[in-house]
Amino acid sequence: HSSSFHGDEEIIIGVLSGAGGSGPSRRMSVRDTWADPNADYTFSDHNFDNRDGKDTDGKERNGKNKIKDGRIKVFFLVAGPWEQIRDEYDKYGDLIWINEEEIYQGEDSVLTYKTQSFIRIVYNVVLELELRQLKYIFKTDDDSYVHVNNLYTELIENENEYSPITLEVEANGADGGSPKEVLQQKKERDFWGWCQLKKFAPKRDASVKWPVSYELYPEPMYPRYCQGAGFALSRRFIECAAGLGSSSSSYSSSSSSSQQHNGRYDNALDGDISPIANLRFMPFEDVSMGMIAERCNVTPIMVERRRWINLYRTQSTEEKNRVKEGLPKIDKSKLTRPVMMNRIVQHRIYDEWDMMEHHKIVVDPARYNKENKVEWYSPRP
């Protein structure tokens, strides 16, 4: 609804979440912590990543909540039966409902459609309400803690401090070769997050996690993309992806051919030539965004400091292996102490309690360090 917006939004955050299962409790956990407009950041650390605590115009940063200020807006992206989320939709007014089944595994996954619908909805709202201040959307998951003030600091207040980086990476060819290619990190952060620095070959073995068939994706290599834990898309990228596309993009390649998947694009406007509407369906939403980026001539930009987006809760080898193999989470007794200093996103938050512990250390780190009584796991050196 138009009443959901103040008109001053500079960042709109979309949180992927399930209608059922743990989805409702995770959404409440997010509402009670980092998405709470009444959270007080007065005693939070304002010197993000050893900055001088000032905006680019020299003014001192303060602890004002950027959600309460209307600079950031948070929505949850859910699918599933309407009856399952109707009451929550009416009560909180922060749900974007996608009329699809909540399927997360295999080639019928709804994740891609949720993310692409979010982009198209924001694009339409920007046009309808003339949200002139909007600069970015940020996609994340409901098991992520997002430090909204640090996100705002880096994307909005520090945008002029960014300097381009040239990286030489090895692109592992499907034929076993390893040609070198130099990737120039463009100054424009149109697609920004924890991004792949080289291209990877799709997994074809149906017994592994995240396989993809030749019928669905015949190309030998995936495009570069950003991990779904948290990535930002600029207004320019949004306008290309959901609008008329890039005039210099080519839509003749096989990877950009338009294919409907289970009728999901039946409701696309006739003559719609946007990259989203004309993209072959890809169940992996992060790869799908990489495909759209290619058509918009957008280069994925890796965060300038890797610690800004933390993909694992504990960084332990056991946790990484469990994620890679699709196994259950590590035991709760092995959780390490929360770390949010100089961090924007902490992914794979364990549960609602863990989300609150991260929030406590963000809003008042000194108090948390003094009063914390939790015996966190401390791995041997």
Side-chain angles (χ1 to χ4, degrees):
H1 298 294
S2 59
S3 59
S4 300
F5 299 88
H6 301 287
D8 295 326
E9 290 85 358
E10 295 180 76
I11 302 174
I12 297 177
I13 299 177
V15 185
L16 286 187
S17 186
S22 61
S25 60
R26 286 186 176 188
R27 289 192 290 279
M28 281 308 305
S29 178
V30 171
R31 292 187 185 106
D32 290 339
T33 55
W34 62 264
D36 180 7
N38 296 313
D40 185 356
Y41 293 101
T42 301
F43 300 103
S44 184
D45 180 9
H46 309 316
N47 296 308
F48 173 57
D49 201 41
N50 297 319
R51 310 280 184 162
D52 61 3
K54 297 180 180 180
D55 297 341
T56 52
D57 61 2
K59 294 181 180 179
E60 294 289 336
R61 294 199 182 101
N62 55 48
K64 287 186 178 180
N65 187 316
K66 299 305 179 184
I67 296 177
K68 187 174 183 178
D69 276 359
R71 301 298 180 181
I72 296 179
K73 184 69 179 181
V74 180
F75 290 99
F76 297 95
L77 315 175
V78 299
W82 169 245
E83 294 74 18
Q84 196 171 9
I85 58 97
R86 183 203 304 266
D87 293 342
E88 183 182 357
Y89 181 94
D90 293 335
K91 181 176 181 180
Y92 296 102
D94 59 2
L95 298 186
I96 293 178
W97 177 64
I98 312 299
N99 188 16
E100 292 286 336
E101 290 186 66
E102 287 277 20
I103 300 174
Y104 293 97
Q105 300 296 328
E107 296 186 354
D108 290 324
S109 173
V110 74
L111 295 179
T112 292
Y113 195 61
K114 280 185 174 182
T115 301
Q116 293 180 358
S117 296
F118 174 51
I119 296 171
R120 298 190 69 160
I121 288 170
V122 170
Y123 173 73
N124 291 332
V125 167
V126 167
L127 291 180
E128 179 183 352
L129 301 182
E130 297 185 354
L131 300 182
R132 302 182 185 279
Q133 301 299 320
L134 184 69
K135 296 181 176 66
Y136 293 95
I137 64 173
F138 191 81
K139 178 269 162 186
T140 188
D141 299 331
D142 62 4
D143 64 343
S144 291
Y145 187 98
V146 180
H147 195 314
V148 290
N149 278 16
N150 282 356
L151 177 66
Y152 185 88
T153 294
E154 189 54 36
L155 285 181
I156 306 300
E157 295 176 344
N158 290 341
E159 61 178 343
N160 295 327
E161 296 183 16
Y162 175 66
S163 58
I165 304 172
T166 300
L167 296 167
E168 185 175 284
V169 300
E170 188 172 315
N172 295 319
D175 59 355
S178 55
K180 295 285 186 177
E181 64 174 340
V182 176
L183 301 177
Q184 175 68 44
Q185 296 260 46
K186 296 180 181 179
K187 185 173 182 179
E188 298 83 2
R189 288 188 282 191
D190 292 318
F191 188 16
W192 177 85
W194 181 280
C195 306
Q196 305 292 343
L197 297 181
K198 61 182 179 181
K199 297 179 180 181
F200 290 91
K203 297 178 181 179
R204 306 299 187 182
D205 184 352
S207 65
V208 302
K209 189 177 182 183
W210 299 309
V212 63
S213 65
Y214 281 102
E215 291 76 17
L216 193 64
Y217 191 84
E219 288 75 23
M221 304 293 287
Y222 282 140
R224 291 180 59 225
Y225 59 86
C226 300
Q227 295 285 345
F231 58 75
L233 308 180
S234 71
R235 181 172 183 141
R236 187 175 79 90
F237 190 5
I238 296 167
E239 290 173 346
C240 171
L244 298 179
S246 171
S247 59
S248 58
S249 296
S250 172
Y251 297 99
S252 60
S253 66
S254 59
S255 62
S256 64
S257 60
S258 175
Q259 291 187 9
Q260 295 178 356
H261 190 75
N262 293 339
R264 282 179 172 167
Y265 296 117
D266 285 344
N267 60 349
L269 294 175
D270 290 338
D272 187 349
I273 62 171
S274 70
I276 286 179
N278 289 275
L279 188 76
R280 181 197 312 124
F281 182 77
M282 161 55 66
F284 311 139
E285 51 110 9
D286 43 11
V287 176
S288 175
M289 287 308 307
M291 294 165 67
I292 296 173
E294 280 192 338
R295 283 137 197 79
C296 289
N297 295 323
V298 166
T299 301
I301 300 296
M302 178 67 173
V303 289
E304 291 75 14
R305 304 287 185 273
R306 295 195 175 206
R307 61 177 172 266
W308 290 355
I309 298 180
N310 198 36
L311 300 181
Y312 297 95
R313 173 60 180 84
T314 67
Q315 296 295 332
S316 68
T317 300
E318 180 187 1
E319 180 189 14
K320 293 178 180 179
N321 287 338
R322 284 178 173 273
V323 171
K324 182 179 180 180
E325 298 171 13
L327 298 175
K329 294 186 287 188
I330 60 172
D331 190 80
K332 192 172 182 176
S333 64
K334 295 183 178 180
L335 291 182
T336 53
R337 188 178 186 275
V339 176
M340 287 304 297
M341 179 177 289
N342 298 327
R343 189 155 289 166
I344 295 174
V345 175
Q346 173 60 62
H347 191 38
R348 294 190 170 91
I349 296 294
Y350 199 88
D351 56 17
E352 292 79 11
W353 171 82
D354 193 31
M355 184 76 81
M356 183 56 71
E357 291 300 303
H358 280 76
H359 189 57
K360 290 177 181 177
I361 205 170
V362 165
V363 297
D364 196 340
R367 181 177 180 181
Y368 187 86
N369 293 336
K370 181 179 179 181
E371 299 181 358
N372 172 52
K373 305 298 182 183
V374 179
E375 294 185 4
W376 299 99
Y377 179 72
S378 180
R380 296 179 179 179

